[in-house]
Amino acid sequence: MSKRGYAASKKLLTGLIGAPIAHSASPAMHERAAEALGLRGHYQLIEVAGADADGLRMMLEGVRRLGFAGVNVTYPYKEAVVPLLDELAPGAAAMGAVNTVVVRDGRLTGHNTDTTGFARAVAPLLAPSGNAVAVIGAGGVGKAIAFALASLNVTDIRVFDSEPARAETLVSLLAAPGVARLASSIEDALQGATGLVNGTPVGMLPNRGMPVPATLLHEKLWVADAVYSPLITPLLAAAQAKGARIMTGRELAIYQAADAFELFTGLAPSTEVMGEAFDEVMAARSSAYHAA
C-alpha cells in the first residue's frame, strides 16, 4: 500500500505466527514505529504450537481475509509456510525460508528480512577479507544467516546442524560453489574460524543450554547469537569470559523488524524508535525475572 493509502486509513494490522512467542518484542517495536509515523498499529501474536500444513493454511487464510497488511513468521514455521504462499521474493525462494508475509490484493508473498537484518547487524564484525564463519543450525534462521554472510562476500562458511541432512541442504542452496561447506562436527566448524553464529533456539529462555562447548571459545573469535531472550545468552556470557567480541540478538531483532515494517507499509520506520521499544521490553523482562 502506498504512503498515501496508509496515511488515509491510519490503521495498520500486522502480527506474528509461531510458538513460543509470548516473549516477543515485535509487538512493541512495530506498534511504536507505527505510532511515530502517525498510524494506529496493532501487532497480533498468533501463537499456535504444533500446527500442521492444514493448520498453517487456515491461519494464513485468516491473515489474507481479515485485513492484515502482513505477518511475520518465526520458529518453527519459517520453512513450513513456504509451499502455502502465492509467491516468494527471490531471496526467500533461494533459501526456502520465510519470516515475513506481505498481503497485497489478496495475495500472500513471502520475504526473508532475517537475511537483510542480519547482514546489516554483522557487517561491522567482519574483516575486509579472510573471514571464516561457523554457522550452527541450518533451519530457518540458520539459512538466513548463511545467505546474509554470502551476500557480504564471506567465502568460507562452515555449516553444522544436529540433523546433517539439513546442513547439507543449506550448503547446496548457496549458489556460489565453495562458499560454504558441511562441517562434520562443531569442532570441525570452528577449526580456524574467525566468527561463530548461533542460529538455533538453544539458549532461549527457559532453555539455558549452549549450542557450543565453552572450551571451543577463545579471544580471537567473534560470537553472535540470534537469540535475544535473554539478551546475554549462556553462549555469549561464556564468549565474553574468554575475551571474545560478541553480538547479541538485539540488532538482528531490530533490523529484521524494520525491514519487515517497510515491506508491510512502504514506509521506512525509525530504527532508533524500534530500538527504544526493544530495550524497554528487555528491561521490563529483566526486572520481572530478577524479582521472581
Side-chain angles (χ1 to χ4, degrees):
M1 186 180 292
S2 68
K3 181 174 181 178
R4 181 177 299 173
Y6 270 112
S9 68
K10 295 288 185 179
K11 295 179 181 178
L12 175 64
L13 177 60
T14 53
L16 174 65
I17 295 173
I21 54 174
H23 67 279
S24 178
S26 291
M29 289 192 290
H30 281 263
E31 290 175 5
R32 189 75 63 81
E35 181 183 9
L37 289 167
L39 307 175
R40 188 166 75 241
H42 175 69
Y43 191 95
Q44 179 68 42
L45 293 181
I46 306 168
E47 180 166 344
V48 179
D52 59 11
D54 287 339
L56 277 175
R57 187 178 287 108
M58 289 176 62
M59 282 185 268
L60 291 169
E61 194 59 27
V63 167
R64 189 198 306 271
R65 294 174 179 270
L66 295 175
F68 280 80
V71 290
N72 290 122
V73 181
T74 191
Y75 181 85
Y77 302 127
K78 292 184 180 186
E79 295 166 295
V81 299
V82 169
L84 306 177
L85 304 176
D86 297 309
E87 57 186 298
L88 297 171
M95 74 183 74
V98 161
N99 82 317
T100 300
V101 178
V102 175
V103 184
R104 291 287 185 277
D105 301 320
R107 292 179 61 79
L108 305 179
T109 302
H111 301 260
N112 199 303
T113 66
D114 283 334
T115 297
T116 55
F118 187 78
R120 292 169 69 179
V122 79
L125 291 175
L126 299 177
S129 62
N131 296 283
V133 183
V135 176
I136 309 302
V141 174
K143 283 181 174 180
I145 288 166
F147 272 77
L149 291 168
S151 76
L152 295 170
N153 299 317
V154 175
T155 57
D156 187 359
I157 303 169
R158 297 92 172 275
V159 182
F160 176 80
D161 194 283
S162 58
E163 298 179 30
R166 291 209 307 182
E168 190 172 349
T169 296
L170 174 52
V171 169
S172 68
L173 287 174
L174 289 164
V179 166
R181 71 171 177 85
L182 180 67
S184 61
S185 64
I186 291 175
E187 291 80 2
D188 178 36
L190 279 166
Q191 183 65 40
T194 55
L196 162 68
V197 189
N198 174 37
T200 79
V202 175
M204 180 187 296
L205 288 172
N207 180 288
R208 297 297 291 166
M210 283 181 52
V212 173
T215 53
L216 298 178
L217 306 175
H218 54 84
E219 64 180 6
K220 295 182 179 180
L221 189 70
W222 59 260
V223 180
D225 205 323
V227 170
Y228 68 76
S229 181
L231 205 55
I232 300 297
T233 61
L235 172 65
L236 295 182
Q240 276 187 317
K242 294 291 183 76
R245 291 182 296 158
I246 67 166
M247 184 182 87
T248 71
R250 179 184 186 274
E251 283 71 24
L252 170 58
I254 293 166
Y255 289 143
Q256 65 79 21
D259 289 349
F261 187 97
E262 187 163 359
L263 286 170
F264 294 148
T265 66
L267 307 174
S270 166
T271 54
E272 183 176 344
V273 166
M274 286 185 137
E276 290 171 355
F278 177 92
D279 292 341
E280 288 173 16
V281 169
M282 298 308 296
R285 187 172 300 151
S286 177
S287 296
Y289 178 79
H290 289 298

